[in-house]
Amino acid sequence: MRRRYYGGRRRWEFVGMTRRELYGLLTGIIIFALASLLPLVNTGYGLSLGVTIAMYTVLSTSWALFSGPTHYISLATAAFFGLGMYVVGGGLEMYPFPILILIAAGVGAVLAGFIGIATLRLSGVYFVIFTLGLAELIRQLVTWGQTTLGTSSGLYVLTNIDEKMIYWQLLVLAAFVYLIGWWINRSKLGFALRIIGNDEKVAAHSGINTALVKVLLFMVSGSIAAVTGALLAPRWTYIEPTIAFSPMLSFLVVIMALIGGAHRLWGPVLGVVPFALVWDLITAKFPNQTALMLGIAFLLIVYAIPHGFIGLGEKYWAKYKVWRDRA
Amino acid sequence: MNKFSFHKPLITGVAIAAMAVSISAVSAETIKIGASAPKTGPLAGGSTVSYWPNVKLWVEQVNARGGIKLKSGKAKIELIEYDDRTNPGEAIKNIQRLATQDKVDFILAPYGTGFNLATAPIFAKFNYPLITHTAITDKIDVLTKRYPNIFFTLGSTTAFSVSVVNILKKMRADGKIGSRVAMVNVADAFGIEMANAARPVFKKEGFEIVYDKSYPLGSPDLSPVIRGAKASKPDAFVAWSYPPDTFGLTAQAKVQGLNVKAYYTAVATAFPAFGGKFGKAAEGILGAGGINPDEAAMKKYFAAHRKVTGKTPDYWASGMVYATFQILEKAIEGVGTKDRKAVINYIKNNAFKTVMGPIKFKNQNNEKFWTVGQWQGGKFYGVSSTGRPGAKSINAKPKW
Amino acid sequence: MTEVTALSIQNVSKNFGGLVAVDQMTFDVMEHEVVGLIGPNGSGKTTMLNLISGFLKLSSGQVGVFGKSITGRSANRIARRGIARTFQLVRMLPSMTVRENVAAGGVFGYQRYWGVELDRRTNFVIEQVGLGGKDAMPVVALTYIDQKRVELARALISDPQLILLDEWLAGLNPKEMEIGIKLINELRFEGRTLIIVEHYMDAIRSLCDRCIVMNSGAKIAEGSPHEVLSDPEVVRAYLGDNDA
Amino acid sequence: MDIIIIGMLLGGAYALMAMGLQLQYGVARIMNLANGEMLVAGSFAAFWIFTGYQYSPVLSIVIVAPLAFGANWLIYKIFMRPLVKRAKSEGQLEVDSILSTFGQSFILVGLMLALFGGEYFSYSYLEEPFEIMGEAYELNRIIAFLFSAVLCGSLYFWLNRTRLGLTFRAVSVNAEAAGLVGINVPRAAALAFGIGGAVTASGGALLSMFLTFDASVGVIFTMKALVIVIMGGVRDIRGTILIAFVLGLAETAVASLIDPGLTLAAAYFLFIIILLFRPEGLFGRRSV
């Protein structure tokens, strides 16, 4: 791995990392270490919430890997997620679980590659709705395929994988996503992505194969979503297309990422955690007005925090810097 | 416009809603019961008819009696309910929360096959009895071996499809219909399993399936389906359908004059809304489930349900849901404590009198259940069962 | 001057629906030559540049760079072949610093740098275009001429074989214009091959070795700045038929 | 032949679902994810008026439409306008309006749930056979179709022939330029959003005659409407209308001739094909 090019203040280095990056890495390791202890402390409700948070963290972060820098809002997460689930649901009797995870990754990447190539000419809202439509198409085809070819079984995922295992697997996946994200950010690929996100024409005229970069990133993102679906299949035990390919999932992933801030690697998780907690609090406290309360909470967030939590943080950080420089 | 002025009404709204949430009064001895099922999302339509009113009814009735009888005295029920928004992840979390945060004594089974299966591991882990009321599966054997605490009351997919075939066989034997069957199904796990189970049985019994198609869940227009079925000139029409399409198919069949002597739609045929919508036209329509509404216990249940919830129960799942609550109640009283393991054992080894008739589990499975019902004179009567008495005779469906 | 053809344009046309924006253009640019592409508004100059850089796909004709065809190639492959450009309306990468904006041109272009080399090269061109000391600034905070400098630096950093400047001097005040002309002049003495689209005739006169005049998408004159600017047809094209 | 008639009837229903969204997106630039909930709200109103007061769902439009207009106009003024003001780019507005209307859709679901409960609603009104060329069709579908056709026609005429309509089209083509020539863009956008909402809710009232609905079903309508509007090209109502009918015909043809199981798959397949060959929708103009 080569060193990042715009060092600026490269006063202190450790295997090619700046002091800031090293601190970031250490913080990350500590957070992950702490997070991985959760199942030892609480195997009940806390763990359930942990699985939910870990799942959305992976999905939102991998979504933001592609959509953050390029500003292409993809609503196809459910398609990858559902396919991953179906790979496990359909193949459990034939292959061991780890192999299925790999297959899910491959299927996700291939599908994302196709979507990527197909959507090169689309932009803005057309891309958004295209991905939504495609996810629905896949769901319809899976449903139809299940009807015409399917046997009555194959949708039950009866394994010995318990919630603890799922949680740890998700954590490993999350760590993997962060590492990939970090690596992309400091590689030429990440630099190219940022240029594309700023101005695609300039990117092309600087020699960047914009199509290739976008498709590659989309494949990474789709593959991760498929693996997430595969990992969660044992938790749901019984898979139906309406539930595996729920469009609500795609929307939630986008919304959590945006609430956190999609332009930083660690942005989405800042959206996922409070969102999941508030969501949960509302479910617990307002069982009969869940939808209403969620809507209200939602609007409060949208209007009070226009640029996500990251945007909020950056605003105050900038203010602090002004104040510090003055002092 | 002042940037924040539009927040005020919202905040007021939150405050009002917060106040509106009632806080259950805590008496000296209580028994905490948890419930989680959809109040929103795709399955909410079903659960608000068959599930939630029964929860309300049962809790009110028990508390009006002074509570559940324990050895230490009567314990009133303190209910904790959650909305799973028809999302399995949410359902799992809710059950976990009930078990570990709220530390409830017992949990009522969730609504729908998928949700019962998704949460079964948690019920098992914390030794809660899971008396399902709306789970139909062919994996009963596997699941009961895996989870010693799960109980099935509604039967298996095969039993349901076989009894439909048997009814048609009987009608054919009586000379009411011929051998031509048009079969359609909703392209969802339920519809697919049913159709797959029925197909070989029809063939074996010498029926000719002249039309065999599926349609996606949420099809806005089912007229091509009915048109296709009608064109195949069937003697009987069988649809493994879900609530919205049960209504849609029947409306189309009526308008297009699909006149068959045996007309069957699956889930929601037993809903009061079905009878309400189609009125006289519902006469003679066959559907999944059924009860004996003329039985005294059932009549009493219907009256109480109407009085407490203001709604008519449906003629199938409602009674079953209520029956499972009765089983739980009697099992707790039989044991006399909140000991969940003992309650599970009690359920396994005893017979229970319920609104649906006596229920006794064999290998955690109730083998006596209604499978097919028919609208007769404005009520939905059970006409076929696996060993329930009181089945009405089957009428040929009149023309629309 | 060695006579190597840097760019050769043969019968290049572009139509938008029924409208012919560029009509059968043919010309060559020699290595180390500075060519001015001039003509009245709407004569197709910018379209011509867009066709060379791959911004637009050409309808017919051939384009070659140093004897190799780049006809119909996409913009990124043309950039890799050594053609860099600036845009008529400045295109910054708004969320990035000056340094990153400049570096953007040097990672994937004709000469590709990364790591320390990129650092060194970026420093060099930033100094060259006169942006020294401003490299950590966000580009949105820059003055107009500094933004133009960023674009020029972004084009220069990959050491391209041919640079297309699309009205690079437009919108500058007289003082800035002087600086700008000086900058381009330096590039000229460096021996760079340039195509300049410009309205400002004094700049054309002082900078260009040769001029190509376009009108209604077609070439109407070619020669030294002095020659073409005194050509009656060119004068007519600029002033309209009535005045000729 | 009956495929064409059924397809047209279905197309009419789709047009009712999508036209309102087209006005809201095309003119006011709000991708309204609460569109389906507004439609269901119209259905509930019609249901309530029909079962409670025995007034025809068709007549209920007289009440539903102005109420929905008012409600949507307010929604625009209170919720959407601040977003339009603070948005620096069209992309930012898109993101913000997705987030905001997503929240609104939850609130609407919650309100309807509180008011009407969560069960399925269905009633019979004019559920009688009506014969066209020897084949029976549902009378209420035909009435909905006629209404839809009238609505399409009058909207199209109004957009093309009246002053306000022209204003809308100008805003839809280029809001900035429209502002420069003296059009009050915020006012036009608020009006368009309100009218769009009114059209959607009226559509809901008509559709309730033959569709079973419940409080949480809105998202299905939203998705259908989004797909239709995008396929047609967001800036032209002709596209929306045409696609609604094309989709209706295509779905019916597939259901009747190939397999009913593939109806929705066919719809989305068509959607993807159209976008692959015309990335800006059928009537979209490519911006160069």
Side-chain angles (χ1 to χ4, degrees), chain B residues 89-108:
Chain B
E90 215 47 49
I92 292 169
K93 237 168 56 191
N94 284 346
I95 301 297
Q96 286 274 22
R97 190 190 298 118
L98 286 169
T100 63
Q101 296 291 107
D102 304 323
K103 299 200 180 355
V104 296
D105 299 306
F106 294 94
I107 302 176
L108 305 176

Side-chain angles (χ1 to χ4, degrees), chain B residues 82-141:
Chain B
Y82 294 129
D83 176 8
D84 68 23
R85 299 200 312 279
T86 322
N87 172 341
E90 215 47 49
I92 292 169
K93 237 168 56 191
N94 284 346
I95 301 297
Q96 286 274 22
R97 190 190 298 118
L98 286 169
T100 63
Q101 296 291 107
D102 304 323
K103 299 200 180 355
V104 296
D105 299 306
F106 294 94
I107 302 176
L108 305 176
Y111 182 82
T113 308
F115 293 83
N116 276 293
L117 294 184
T119 54
I122 310 168
F123 277 89
K125 187 169 150 197
F126 296 102
N127 282 313
Y128 283 98
L130 173 58
I131 317 169
T132 65
H133 38 68
T134 41
I136 302 186
T137 165
D138 265 351
K139 294 253 174 186
I140 289 179
D141 284 351

Side-chain angles (χ1 to χ4, degrees), chain A residues 62-228:
Chain A
S62 68
W63 178 87
L65 280 186
F66 169 75
S67 298
T70 59
H71 305 297
Y72 282 81
I73 295 182
S74 156
L75 285 177
T77 312
F80 301 119
F81 184 83
L83 270 187
M85 276 203 156
Y86 264 82
V87 166
V88 171
L92 202 58
E93 278 156 30
M94 287 172 276
Y95 304 101
F97 194 63
I99 302 281
L100 291 174
I101 300 289
L102 288 181
I103 295 177
V107 170
V110 169
L111 175 69
F114 278 120
I115 299 180
I117 291 164
T119 52
L120 283 176
R121 291 169 68 200
L122 298 174
S123 57
V125 71
Y126 291 93
F127 178 83
V128 181
I129 308 301
F130 182 92
T131 50
L132 182 67
L134 201 89
E136 284 298 293
L137 176 66
I138 291 167
R139 160 169 143 193
Q140 291 300 335
L141 289 178
V142 167
T143 310
W144 183 74
Q146 201 182 315
T147 327
T148 41
L149 318 167
T151 53
S152 58
S153 63
L155 293 163
Y156 293 89
V157 185
L158 300 170
T159 62
N160 290 318
I161 301 169
D162 64 358
E163 209 163 23
K164 223 184 292 177
M165 283 306 297
I166 295 174
Y167 178 74
W168 277 324
Q169 286 168 349
L170 283 173
L171 272 193
V172 170
L173 185 61
F176 179 69
V177 171
Y178 278 107
L179 279 180
I180 283 200
W182 178 68
W183 175 77
I184 287 176
N185 275 348
R186 46 184 284 140
S187 72
K188 289 185 185 182
L189 184 62
F191 191 44
L193 262 180
R194 288 179 60 209
I195 301 173
I196 293 173
N198 272 280
D199 191 325
E200 217 169 315
K201 287 294 173 198
V202 169
H205 282 91
S206 305
I208 297 170
N209 188 341
T210 52
L212 183 72
V213 169
K214 285 191 286 180
V215 172
L216 267 181
L217 245 288
F218 197 55
M219 285 171 74
V220 170
S221 168
S223 173
I224 292 169
V227 171
T228 316

